[in-house]
Amino acid sequence: MVPLAESWDSGANAWTAQRREAYANDLGAEPSLVAVTARSNRSKSDQDPADWQPPLADARGRGCRAAA
């Protein structure tokens, strides 16, 4: 999962408004929304998945995609 701010920094700023909206509202993939604790969400912030991974090993690497 790539935060919207990271997507923007990684190239989404060059996308059309329609593509950005579709990306922001993509709920088709099962891991699009994952319930986490407030502490975990704060530690993640808007970091790139390469810089932050969930503390639980079984939650890592699920659904990551590039924003290019």
Side-chain angles (χ1 to χ4, degrees), residues 33-56:
L33 295 175
V34 178
V36 298
T37 64
R39 181 179 184 172
S40 181
N41 192 50
R42 283 191 299 270
S43 74
K44 178 188 69 65
S45 184
D46 62 355
Q47 295 180 63
D48 187 286
D51 298 327
W52 185 92
Q53 290 289 312
L56 297 176

Side-chain angles (χ1 to χ4, degrees), residues 2-3 7 17 21-25 32-33 35 37-38 44-45 49 53 58:
V2 178
S7 300
E21 181 178 357
Y23 180 82
N25 293 306
S32 290
L33 295 175
T37 64
K44 178 188 69 65
S45 184
Q53 290 289 312
D58 64 341

